[in-house]
Amino acid sequence: MIPISHVLVLSALLFSIGVLGVMLRRNVIVVFMSIELMLNAVNLSFVGFARTMDDMTGVIFIFFIIVVAAAEAVVGLSIILSIYRTRKTLNIDEFNLLKW
Amino acid sequence: MIVFFYVFALASLLLALGVLVFKNPIHSALSLVGTFFCLAAIYVMLNAEFVAVIQVLVYAGAIMVLFLFVLMLLSSNDNDQYALKLNVPRGLAVATTGVLLVQILTAFMDPTIRFGEPGAYPVERIQEIGSIALIGQLLFTEFVLPFEVISILLLVAVIGAVIIAKRRVS
Amino acid sequence: MSQIWLVPAFPLLGFLLNGFFGKFFGKRFVTIIAPAAVGFAFLQSLILFFEMRAADGHRLVETLYTWMATGAFQVDVAFQVDQLSGLYLLIITGVGFLIHVYSIGYMGEEAGYYRYFAYLNLFIFFMLVLVLGDSFLLMFVGWEGVGLCSYLLIGYYFEKHSAAEASKKAFLFNRVGDFGVLSAVMLIFITFGTLNFNMVNAEAASRLEAGGILVTVITLFLFLGATGKSAQIPLYVWLPDAMEGPTPVSALIHAATMVTAGLYMIARLSHLFVLAPFTMNMIAVIGAATALLAATIALTQTDIKRVLAYSTVSQLGYMFLALGVGAFSAGIFHVMTHAFFKALLFLGSGSVIYAMHHEQDMMRMGALRRKLPVTYFTMLMGTLAIAGIPFFSGFFSKDEILWKAFSSPLGGGGFWLVGFVTAGLTSFYMFRLIYLTFHGESRVDAHIAEHLHESPAVMTVPLVILAVLSVFGGFFGVPHILNFLPNGIELYFEGFFAQVPGTSHGSAAAEVGLMIASVLLAIIAWSLARRYYATSLEAVAILRERFQLAYRLSLHKWYVDEIYNAVIVVPAKLFSTFILWKLIDQNIIDRLVMLPGNVARGIGSGLRLTQNGMMQSYTLIFSLGAMLILGFVLL
């Protein structure tokens, strides 16, 4: 029996590493991957809770999260593709038109 | 038994740090794949086999492959030189994340956390029905509405991706 | 029961009718209503006068209603007729009536006929309120009201720039005085808890220590107000300029009534003033100084009305001198006789001006006595009165003042000497006026000389009546040493005024001696004036050459206006422009007002920089926000 607190700690650590990745990396695709990492951390905590509380709702939720992550990755990558065609770079600092 | 958990946990942490640290984005992607595998192992240890399988098949197998395709299509030699250069905004980002981490840990480790009533599916019951059969049952009875919505979402995502990424015929 | 309220009600009604309907109903309406209003007021005053004489304690009080009652402070609108206000009532309404009648002729061709009479009636109303009020507050209402009417009437020819300036000057100098009155009223309220005259007078001795600071301050403030209203040093400069108004206005307001308001106030509060010997001294000194100063200026003026204006200032100085040495009844007696002869002189000069088609320069007059006989004769009577020639009215009142200035416990030889010299100057310049205007060679412009004729009866009859009063009015106050009639004034005011502490000095012999001296001086001055002005003006031209500096100082009014301008007006303007406007208003206040706007703009331009379009900084802000919210929730 794995104590739930250990699972949660791991989940929290993975999540914060993901956050750091989003804020610090320059390559936009690596940022996306960090987002995926964050989603996975959340998945982990869901599984942990499903286990402890003997409830299948957690597992079902993970299902949906995975689907959404897939859809989001697809759309996001296609956007990056079309931006790349104009900007010819993957440096996130170059995508700075969302301002005043 | 629990030793394995710690081993995989440590491995997944190191590999996640790898995502953060590697300059070459391909290396980051591969580290992420590794993380996913370790997590799948942990899922198995938590008696969620089906999730583990789905994780490997869909996440590591499909999504990460997609990432790798795009990376190789676009990256070429676009190495991230600024990966971990430290300056004020970055320092602030690290600090904020640190604080967030502490806050989340505090919430999780709070001794006064109360769990609700245990649900209807303890391990024995799952093994009795079969985990996949159980998930299928729940998905088509209790959670059928989100299921249908998700399918529409997928449809929209596919259409959207095709349209956005289409090369304009000039 | 005494209907005191009728007295001011008639002129008020006259003002309303003339003011609102005068233009509509026309000249005849106004001609009847305005003098009739004052006439009825005079009749009622006469009735009240005799009622008052018969009443207990010689006082009639009528309370109309309670004006304000807040906590401990209560003021009623109440009228009071006693010895002082009774006399004033008769003077105001009587002389006022004569002047109204006169104005029918004088202002006959003016465009703003109804406006003039409306204002004149309003003035009478306020003056009556001033003397009838039984408390400071009501008196102050009248005080301000007559100031307002003075402004309106001086500026009657408002299209003329000099007239508009003069009316502003009058009002502003009055205002300075009003500040004094208000300050005193506040102090009195704090000390006495009431503003009623009778109560203040009764309790003055018990609540205020004689010669103490409080009573001195109060009385000095009151005196400041009096100098404003009654044209004494330092606030007299408005009165000569006030001659811009029509001549009957000068006669009524600036000779007979408004300028005596200050004297009324001081006499009314005699019990308060005798407790402050310092103030009394100051009053006497200023009165004497003003009398002398104004008399010196009157010596060289060529505008006939200016001479009379300075003469008024000078005579008012005499009255203040009397009050200052404690001779209250003598001062009020001179108010009465002065009202008669000064109104007469002004109206007479008005008659001359009217005949001369509004020419006022005496240097362009001369030998008018054959053409304007009635005017000449009545003005001569007035001049004899003001010069103090025996048995005319001015002789009795002026002599009483001079004697009291010498003999009173607060008086002395110095005061008497100043008054004596001024009397000589008065006689001189008044006869100078007569000789220049009516005698000698005619310097009149030929075009005007053709049409010279005596004024109509509506103007000359009041002159005659006033002349009679100027000649015989003095017999009310025959001094004891000339014992052929009882001293009516003294008997009349018996027990009313406060007594100055101390003993008088001087014997009966001294009184006779001084009297003879001043008569002699008056006659000498008369003959001097005759010598220089009666026939030809060459002799006086030589005199002018010899005393050039004195002449110029006198002609230019000792440059007082110029000094005031340089010392007060110019610094005030500079201060306002550079400090109040440029520094405080523009820099401090405007900046303060714009501060919120500027702060908002500053913060805005600072915060704007966070929107730099870089997604990772947005992400940073997300996480900061999440951190804060989590922090809140967890704590």
Side-chain angles (χ1 to χ4, degrees):
Chain A
M1 214 41 320
I2 301 176
I4 178 72
S5 54
H6 293 45
V7 175
L8 291 180
V9 167
L10 176 62
S11 160
L13 284 169
L14 284 175
F15 186 82
S16 47
I17 293 174
V19 172
L20 275 177
V22 169
M23 290 205 276
L24 296 182
R25 294 292 305 231
R26 287 278 156 272
N27 192 321
V28 65
I29 300 188
V30 177
V31 169
F32 259 96
M33 293 196 296
S34 309
I35 295 179
E36 297 297 333
L37 183 56
M38 283 157 72
L39 285 169
N40 264 279
V42 170
N43 279 352
L44 179 60
S45 68
F46 264 116
V47 166
F49 279 123
R51 190 75 210 78
T52 327
M53 298 181 49
D54 293 335
D55 199 343
M56 289 306 279
T57 319
V59 176
I60 305 291
F61 217 85
I62 292 178
F63 219 58
F64 295 144
I65 292 179
I66 293 178
V67 170
V68 167
E72 161 229 332
V74 161
V75 174
L77 285 172
S78 60
I79 292 178
I80 291 176
L81 216 64
S82 71
I83 294 181
Y84 183 83
R85 289 205 192 110
T86 9
R87 297 253 171 194
K88 298 284 184 245
T89 176
L90 287 178
N91 190 340
I92 203 174
D93 289 338
E94 301 290 327
F95 304 164
N96 60 357
L97 291 180
L98 201 65
K99 63 179 177 183
W100 46 273
Chain B
M1 236 354 254
I2 204 164
V3 177
F4 284 115
F5 171 71
Y6 289 124
V7 168
F8 280 116
L10 191 62
S12 67
L13 272 176
L14 287 173
L15 287 166
L17 279 172
V19 174
L20 192 60
V21 162
F22 286 131
K23 291 209 181 76
N24 195 330
I26 308 261
H27 296 170
S28 300
L30 290 175
S31 306
L32 192 59
V33 173
T35 317
F36 289 161
F37 273 110
C38 298
L39 283 179
I42 296 177
Y43 290 161
V44 168
M45 279 189 263
L46 287 173
N47 294 105
E49 304 91 0
F50 182 61
V51 181
V53 171
I54 292 294
Q55 169 100 339
V56 172
L57 274 179
V58 173
Y59 241 121
I63 297 179
M64 288 318 295
V65 170
L66 178 62
F67 269 101
L68 279 165
F69 273 166
V70 174
L71 269 174
M72 290 186 199
L73 198 58
L74 304 181
S75 237
S76 49
N77 50 2
D78 208 9
N79 281 350
D80 193 348
Q81 300 100 315
Y82 307 98
L84 289 178
K85 256 219 190 107
L86 211 53
N87 54 20
V88 174
R90 291 162 162 271
L92 182 60
V94 173
T96 311
T97 316
V99 174
L100 260 175
L101 176 62
V102 169
Q103 285 174 331
I104 298 174
L105 284 177
T106 323
F108 280 161
M109 308 291 273
D110 195 345
T112 63
I113 277 187
R114 288 174 300 112
F115 293 107
E117 304 228 332
Y121 301 101
V123 183
E124 305 77 25
R125 186 100 197 284
I126 297 176
Q127 284 175 344
E128 199 188 305
I129 305 175
S131 76
I132 297 182
L134 187 53
I135 290 175
Q137 251 180 29
L138 288 172
L139 212 47
F140 287 109
T141 51
E142 239 179 283
F143 298 100
V144 67
L145 181 59
F147 179 72
E148 299 299 335
V149 172
I150 284 273
S151 46
I152 297 180
L153 176 75
L154 274 176
L155 180 64
V156 169
V158 167
I159 297 175
V162 168
I163 292 181
I164 294 175
K166 206 167 175 182
R167 207 178 275 277
R168 301 275 179 274
V169 181
S170 47
Chain C
M1 190 47 220
S2 38
Q3 303 290 332
I4 309 181
W5 64 276
L6 278 178
V7 177
F10 280 123
L12 181 64
L13 187 62
F15 160 69
L16 291 169
L17 287 174
N18 285 328
F20 289 115
F21 303 116
K23 202 164 188 183
F24 183 64
F25 285 121
K27 199 167 138 183
R28 186 155 258 198
F29 177 80
V30 173
T31 308
I32 296 180
I33 296 281
V38 186
F40 283 124
F42 175 66
L43 289 174
Q44 179 67 8
S45 305
L46 216 48
I47 296 174
L48 286 170
F49 182 79
F50 288 114
E51 242 186 81
M52 180 262 302
R53 293 294 297 159
D56 241 348
H58 296 308
R59 181 188 301 169
L60 305 168
V61 180
E62 183 189 30
T63 309
L64 290 180
Y65 61 96
T66 304
W67 186 359
M68 342 178 191
T70 58
F73 179 59
Q74 175 166 354
V75 174
D76 295 337
V77 171
F79 292 138
Q80 175 174 309
V81 178
D82 54 24
Q83 286 113 311
L84 186 60
S85 50
L87 186 62
Y88 262 84
L89 275 186
L90 289 177
I91 296 174
I92 297 169
T93 52
V95 176
F97 175 69
L98 291 172
I99 294 180
H100 273 76
V101 171
Y102 178 94
S103 302
I104 299 174
Y106 189 84
M107 303 294 288
E109 279 124 48
E110 294 286 340
Y113 191 73
Y114 76 99
R115 177 163 62 99
Y116 171 84
F117 276 107
Y119 289 157
L120 214 60
N121 274 353
L122 188 66
F123 171 82
I124 298 276
F125 166 70
F126 276 125
M127 192 70 205
L128 289 170
V129 168
L130 199 161
V131 302
L132 282 174
D134 79 330
S135 66
F136 272 99
L137 215 50
L138 208 52
M139 183 193 85
F140 195 65
V141 170
W143 188 275
E144 292 282 348
V146 296
L148 171 69
C149 292
S150 174
Y151 166 82
L152 290 171
L153 284 164
I154 295 173
Y156 177 74
Y157 299 115
F158 57 82
E159 287 134 345
K160 208 167 147 209
H161 183 69
S162 52
E165 292 288 307
S167 61
K168 258 195 293 179
K169 187 172 179 179
F171 196 78
L172 287 171
F173 274 96
N174 257 247
R175 235 12 192 150
V176 176
D178 293 346
F179 151 73
V181 176
L182 273 175
S183 311
V185 167
M186 283 188 251
L187 283 171
I188 287 185
F189 181 66
I190 295 175
T191 319
F192 288 86
T194 174
L195 292 177
N196 185 300
F197 283 137
N198 299 326
M199 288 202 229
V200 169
N201 269 333
E203 294 178 26
S206 53
R207 288 212 200 211
L208 294 166
E209 50 160 312
I213 293 203
L214 184 59
V215 69
T216 308
V217 168
I218 292 179
T219 48
L220 278 176
F221 272 132
L222 285 173
F223 179 54
L224 179 65
T227 61
K229 212 39 136 217
S230 302
Q232 296 295 292
I233 293 173
L235 300 175
Y236 70 92
V237 288
W238 62 270
L239 198 110
D241 284 20
M243 297 298 114
E244 294 282 342
T247 311
V249 167
S250 308
L252 180 62
I253 298 184
H254 308 127
T257 45
M258 185 180 97
V259 293
T260 57
L263 293 154
Y264 168 81
M265 182 175 70
I266 295 183
R268 172 70 65 207
L269 293 160
S270 62
H271 289 86
L272 206 59
F273 277 87
V274 297
L275 293 171
F278 176 75
T279 312
M280 297 282 273
N281 209 20
M282 179 117 298
I283 296 177
V285 166
I286 287 185
T290 311
L292 188 60
L293 178 75
T296 56
I297 300 177
L299 289 175
T300 55
Q301 299 297 313
T302 54
D303 183 326
I304 193 172
K305 283 179 72 175
R306 292 270 158 142
V307 177
L308 293 173
Y310 283 107
S311 170
T312 305
V313 176
S314 178
Q315 295 299 306
L316 288 168
Y318 265 111
M319 297 178 224
F320 276 101
L321 173 60
L323 293 185
V325 298
F328 295 105
S329 45
I332 301 298
F333 184 37
H334 199 59
V335 168
M336 185 177 94
T337 57
H338 177 262
F340 296 150
F341 56 69
K342 197 43 79 54
L344 167 63
L345 285 167
F346 265 111
L347 293 184
S349 72
S351 177
V352 170
I353 294 173
Y354 183 76
M356 296 279 296
H357 291 279
H358 290 280
E359 171 63 67
Q360 293 182 218
D361 188 348
M362 288 192 292
M363 291 321 212
R364 295 200 218 140
M365 301 181 191
L368 288 177
R369 71 176 188 272
R370 298 228 167 70
K371 305 283 181 127
L372 309 171
V374 178
T375 309
Y376 168 63
F377 188 71
T378 50
M379 279 197 78
L380 188 59
M381 294 297 112
T383 308
L384 289 168
I386 195 176
I389 302 298
F391 306 122
F392 288 85
S393 59
F395 163 70
F396 291 112
S397 59
K398 195 185 289 195
D399 222 74
E400 187 70 17
I401 293 179
L402 285 175
W403 170 240
K404 282 280 163 32
F406 180 78
S407 68
S408 161
L410 293 175
F415 288 130
W416 177 84
L417 191 61
V418 173
F420 178 69
V421 170
T422 309
L425 292 174
T426 307
S427 173
F428 181 79
Y429 66 67
M430 283 312 299
F431 279 108
R432 166 181 177 260
L433 186 148
I434 293 288
Y435 286 128
L436 274 177
T437 313
F438 294 106
H439 288 252
E441 306 151 3
S442 173
R443 299 176 294 278
V444 179
D445 183 53
H447 182 67
I448 300 177
E450 290 173 354
H451 303 285
L452 272 179
H453 58 82
E454 183 60 84
S455 306
V458 77
M459 285 166 69
T460 51
V461 168
L463 287 177
V464 170
I465 297 177
L466 283 170
V468 168
L469 286 169
S470 302
V471 171
F472 297 110
F475 290 113
F476 285 120
V478 179
H480 295 292
I481 51 167
L482 302 177
N483 212 345
F484 52 90
L485 273 181
N487 191 333
I489 288 291
E490 246 181 56
L491 288 174
Y492 178 73
F493 279 120
E494 192 156 358
F496 184 79
F497 292 119
Q499 293 298 329
V500 173
T503 49
S504 326
H505 36 81
S507 58
E511 194 177 345
V512 174
L514 293 177
M515 190 186 295
I516 294 177
S518 45
V519 171
L520 275 178
L521 183 64
I523 295 178
I524 293 173
W526 181 0
S527 54
L528 270 175
R530 178 144 176 253
R531 182 171 154 228
Y532 283 115
Y533 295 103
T535 38
S536 85
L537 295 175
E538 292 160 4
V540 80
I542 301 174
L543 203 61
R544 209 175 297 153
E545 280 301 306
R546 273 179 72 191
F547 296 105
Q548 255 194 27
L549 180 63
Y551 174 72
R552 215 174 296 146
L553 279 175
S554 166
L555 186 62
H556 289 117
K557 314 165 269 161
W558 296 85
Y559 297 103
V560 171
D561 273 320
E562 286 77 1
I563 294 175
Y564 278 168
N565 192 40
V567 171
I568 297 174
V569 176
V570 169
K573 267 198 196 154
L574 286 175
F575 182 70
S576 309
T577 311
F578 289 110
I579 297 186
L580 291 180
W581 179 35
K582 294 241 162 79
L583 178 62
I584 296 183
D585 197 24
Q586 276 183 343
N587 284 330
I588 297 181
I589 296 183
D590 280 353
R591 295 237 172 121
L592 209 62
V593 165
M594 300 215 285
L595 188 66
N598 287 342
V599 165
R601 197 189 302 165
I603 294 181
S605 46
L607 285 181
R608 161 170 51 87
L609 297 173
T610 55
Q611 298 254 309
N612 54 9
M614 313 248 278
M615 271 175 282
Q616 287 184 318
S617 56
Y618 292 164
T619 332
L620 177 57
I621 298 181
F622 292 165
S623 11
L624 273 171
M627 180 185 88
L628 286 171
I629 292 178
L630 266 180
F632 261 132
V633 169
L634 288 176
L635 280 173

